Amino acid sequence: MTSPRTLAQQLIADHLTAGEAVAGEEIALRVDQTLTQDATGTLVMQELEALGLDRVHTEPSVQYVDHNILQADARNAEDHLFLRSAAQRFGLWYSGPGNGVSHPVHMQRFGVPGKLLIGSDSHTCAGGALGMLAIGTGGLDVALAMAGEPLRLRMPRIWGIRLDGELPDWVSAKDVILELLRRHGVKGGVGRILEYHGPGLAALSAMDRHVIANMGAELGATASVFPADERVREFLGAEGREDAYRPLAADEGACYDLQETVDLSTLAPLVAMPSSPGKVVPVLEAAGVPLTQVVIGSSANPGLRDFATAAAMVSGRHVAPGLSFDVNPTSRQLLLDLTRMGAVFDLVAAGARLHQAGCLGCIGMGQAPASGGASLRTFPRNFPGRSGTPDDRVWLCSPETAAASALTGAIEDPRVWAHREGVEPPRLDLPERAAADGATLEAPLGPDRARAVKLVRGPNISALPELDPLPERFDGPVLLKVGDDVSTDEISPAGAQALPYRSNLPKLADFTLTRIDPDYPQRAREAGPHVIVAGENYGQGSSREHAAITPRLLGLRAVLAKSYARIHWQNLANFGVLALEFTDPGDYDRIEPGDWLELPGLRAALANGDDCIVVHNATKDDDYQLTHRLSTRQLLAVLAGGAIPAHGQVRQRRETSMKPAAPRSVQDGMT
Amino acid sequence: MTSPRTLAQQLIADHLTAGEAVAGEEIALRVDQTLTQDATGTLVMQELEALGLDRVHTEPSVQYVDHNILQADARNAEDHLFLRSAAQRFGLWYSGPGNGVSHPVHMQRFGVPGKLLIGSDSHTCAGGALGMLAIGTGGLDVALAMAGEPLRLRMPRIWGIRLDGELPDWVSAKDVILELLRRHGVKGGVGRILEYHGPGLAALSAMDRHVIANMGAELGATASVFPADERVREFLGAEGREDAYRPLAADEGACYDLQETVDLSTLAPLVAMPSSPGKVVPVLEAAGVPLTQVVIGSSANPGLRDFATAAAMVSGRHVAPGLSFDVNPTSRQLLLDLTRMGAVFDLVAAGARLHQAGCLGCIGMGQAPASGGASLRTFPRNFPGRSGTPDDRVWLCSPETAAASALTGAIEDPRVWAHREGVEPPRLDLPERAAADGATLEAPLGPDRARAVKLVRGPNISALPELDPLPERFDGPVLLKVGDDVSTDEISPAGAQALPYRSNLPKLADFTLTRIDPDYPQRAREAGPHVIVAGENYGQGSSREHAAITPRLLGLRAVLAKSYARIHWQNLANFGVLALEFTDPGDYDRIEPGDWLELPGLRAALANGDDCIVVHNATKDDDYQLTHRLSTRQLLAVLAGGAIPAHGQVRQRRETSMKPAAPRSVQDGMT
């Protein structure tokens, strides 16, 4: 008899194709579903081309368009045509602009308890709300999964989070995840799967759980897992997909690697201060900050109850004069339901600017606040400048706090507002059956029709660049030294200026790290091969692999950091950048920008399996010990210049071999 | 007993403060109302500052925000804060982002039969639908009107357009104005006021008339005038403003300078081909052109019936796969009514992307189509590149044609679609009372509170530059030679790249004429004072005075053209650029780019009242005769370097004079 297992352990065991599910060991997992969005997807589709794929092995894989939808010039629309043609060619579903944000739409239309979903978006983890194992990864990992490769990652530790009690009035799911961020900060979930359990779950709907699972990304967690229970059955039933339901839960008596308890009844409205989702304080402490903008939307608060609650609060009232109250529906379905319920009328009559369905301001595509004006948003992130305004002051909160503050014109605790106005908490009458409609998603073409599809490649769609192998000896300058928690938003910015170039890597490279050093792209092009030195948690946030590939195009060959965020660390290996970690973090302080570093015999050392790499600082005549933590598979990728050339080598070896192929896990050199 | 007068003659007589209402003579008209939008308004507010205004003399003046609402960075939001503060300071109404497009909102909330409205937007003429005299002008003319100055213009000829019969099924107001454009082209209305009359009016609602009056701008007309009759009373009643109604019509037996008849019953659905609103053909001749995008919205089709008709046609159906069906509500009120009627649900369920209320794609703020993809729009204009896509192919049509084509995926005559589908024309049940709501418009502050307001001037708000007087002798090269019908969109582009700089003239100048010659700004800065040579109708389209001031900032001192569009001609004078017309149009062919032109004794010649200016071509040793057509007032502006320095001189003379001021018309040197 096996010992009782957590739900996360069950999901991993159900998908394990290689390795041992012991924390820290590399494991390989069979992938059931993938999602890609347009800002990362155009590159993924180019990777499928480079991999020579005929048709995806996953079922389903869905390509969403939710990021690049402003269409300030022809580039966005060209991306849409390219992605639609690629979805048709490779056998993916296609969800065009206007259908909404990938995460809630995927949950509504494709979510199935027990499945393993990966996606080239860091908030893919939201799918854990339905009892899926849902993991955000780099785009190339998604491409390889579509090509039939398993997902490889280090087995995380399982962090059991027990929810007790019930949320008080005016406190909602967003406050639960903000509470965890208040306790643990943006690195608190690194290397962990958060598994929620306990009696407090009973009163949290599937969409409430989506809110909590989604922002597990902000804790740095690998995934968040909720059981599939009655709330999940209700959700799937409302979508007309009750047959997708099956109950899932941790075994009685299962042990977690780590444990935590949240008593929901003790929570208060919380807010994340500028400019980190980890800087959380009670709303009461921030009350009175004058606002120029309030925004409701994004995958962090995508549910009907989130919008309907705000609508009920502003109904018959009007937002503060001069304040921009922006409402971003998260899906076409949500917009239809809100319209039917009268909530659209209430929001617009109260002064809302109702925008098209999509990510919009959450990814800096429009809705940039004025310089110096504070903006309060129900979004998941507020990294510096992510709004599109360099000196922005963006706060994060629940819909209740957002609506109360929009009416007041300053940050306000919804309980204080309700008391002052004599308002009872809204009792929402949500429809039992959502306005789900199949016509706006395009199903995959059959294999024969798919093979006849030509990719529609507008002038803005580049091809993947050739990547050269790691040289035998690598010397170069430290071109940049950065601190802790540098996000991929700072490495490869999103926003209305850069995002339209996500399909055009040479042009996108011009934006690399410019939020930290506007001259980096030019200096890098002049310097050639070079090194970046970083502190803790380098590459947190968004999964965009552009943050690995564009510095690489500019000559980055190695990063020396105290630690890395999971997805970015994998992306660096995928694109042939050597990610090294200081054995002694104190060495970080002994390196200065401009120092000349030497890594002699690098290739040989890596090929020999040395985990320890000695870096010589020629400027200071100093030596540092670093480790790489790379699996053999990752090492091969770095040596080959990236995972795509490495994949090509493997395929070539397979094709030229006269012997039957060895099991993939061995052949691919997994440790 | 006076002879019977046309309605236009009555309106002019009611507002005449100087001059004689004889075609071609300069007249001065008292201005009742003004409107400004944000793309031109930030400059107008800076002009009010430069004029030293304390409080507007007009009632009401309204500042709208409808153009720059994407907020790709902080600049748009900074403009909004600046405009709101300026509206408060100077005593204007303020309509913030999300309230909608200036023209329909002004008609709904402020339109009054018999009033004279001017606006810094070429489609201000739409107000003629209510029996107003509504004229688009340059921003400085609007600023001067707010300062109490009359509007000066040459008395147009009155063009009586008699409407007979009733429109057939599937043919609507847009087809009426497209028919006039088909007959007369984009210069057909130059120097004319179009006055609609006849029995065909009875079946055209006030909003139908708005469609027709709006696109009078595309004919180059000074204004379009409709009588105030029962349809106008109904419209004002639905807005809760029936007391604003008074009947107005031409006198029995009034004579028009020109006459035309349109038998509505003979009209068919029409479409304007790329890339001019004057290239009109029957939809049947264009049927089958594949589309990537269909857009419904803009001030050219802003009415509830326009959107409700499209909604009824797509209800229960779905637009063609892969086609982007964009719906731009023209006002908050419209969006509320459409929501209440169920039309929002029908549109979104059919696949529409529902956008925020505003101009959006009509002014190139988003919604740019893919390169090479055809786009069909209910907009007024399709000048090359105005969509944001350099090689765009934009077609213009009615909502009926747009909806049928969106369902088909290719341009289609709605009659053909209806016949094939067995569909009857929609019988709309429009609400008798609109969802008008006062809370979203901000009323002017009282004088004392207004004086305490400080302008909120973000980093992107420049001040007006100092303009130097015309030199005694002016020599310079022909830096650019262009053809006929160059629009102000080509001179100073709108669109998502340039529009955010409308408040930042030095930066905006970098975009000047780049659609025609990408190097013009750099060449102009290197060359200094220079000349542009142009064909017919130079400066058609939008009223933006940026098309005069930014070339001037780059060194433009004179334009030699065959003819000018009215508003741009006035704008050139307002900003001190000498606009000359060839006496012999054949001289146009004798000048080449790069030729060196000499205008000796220019200042003296102009000051002496010479209408004829001789320009010497030093390169070709050739001479040309040109005329300037400028009134004395305009001459003084050109000599002073622009109307603002000229105004300052006049004010100074007034203030230093010991004698009582002479009547303004004489003192300002009006001819």
Side-chain angles (χ1 to χ4, degrees), chain B residues 226-246:
Chain B
F226 283 84
D229 58 13
E230 280 307 303
R231 299 292 85 74
V232 171
R233 186 208 292 272
E234 285 162 13
F235 174 83
L236 291 169
E239 299 295 324
R241 299 201 294 116
E242 196 169 341
D243 55 356
Y245 175 72
R246 62 173 178 126

Side-chain angles (χ1 to χ4, degrees), chain B residues 5-8 128 158-165 176 180 193-204 209 212 224-229 248-264:
Chain B
R5 296 177 306 173
T6 69
L7 176 54
I158 314 298
W159 188 12
I161 299 181
R162 179 186 165 92
L163 302 181
D164 283 328
V176 178
L180 287 172
I193 293 177
L194 280 58
E195 182 170 327
Y196 293 87
H197 62 102
L201 283 174
L204 293 175
R209 300 173 188 186
I212 297 170
S224 294
V225 175
F226 283 84
D229 58 13
L248 290 171
D251 295 335
E252 195 82 36
C255 278
Y256 296 98
D257 297 329
L258 304 126
Q259 296 200 54
E260 171 114 7
T261 299
V262 179
D263 181 351
L264 300 177

Side-chain angles (χ1 to χ4, degrees), chain B residues 645-658:
Chain B
H647 187 88
Q649 289 169 5
V650 169
R651 203 169 55 175
Q652 208 166 22
R653 277 207 305 278
R654 275 185 200 152
E655 284 163 3
T656 55
S657 166
M658 299 300 288

Side-chain angles (χ1 to χ4, degrees), chain A residues 231-246:
Chain A
R231 296 294 86 73
V232 171
R233 186 207 292 273
E234 287 163 10
F235 175 83
L236 291 170
E239 299 294 324
R241 299 199 296 114
E242 195 168 343
D243 55 356
Y245 176 72
R246 62 174 178 126

Side-chain angles (χ1 to χ4, degrees), chain B residues 21-37:
Chain B
V22 172
E25 294 294 307
E26 191 178 79
I27 55 174
L29 300 174
R30 190 187 72 252
V31 176
D32 301 313
Q33 302 188 351
T34 71
L35 73 78
T36 41
Q37 34 90 338

Side-chain angles (χ1 to χ4, degrees), chain B residues 9 45 80 83 100 139 153 239 317 331 390 392 509 518 570 578 614 631 654:
Chain B
Q9 286 168 335
M45 296 302 132
H80 305 167
L83 288 169
L153 75 162
E239 299 295 324
R317 301 181 169 85
S331 69
D392 60 8
Q570 173 67 47
L578 185 60
V614 176
S631 69
R654 275 185 200 152

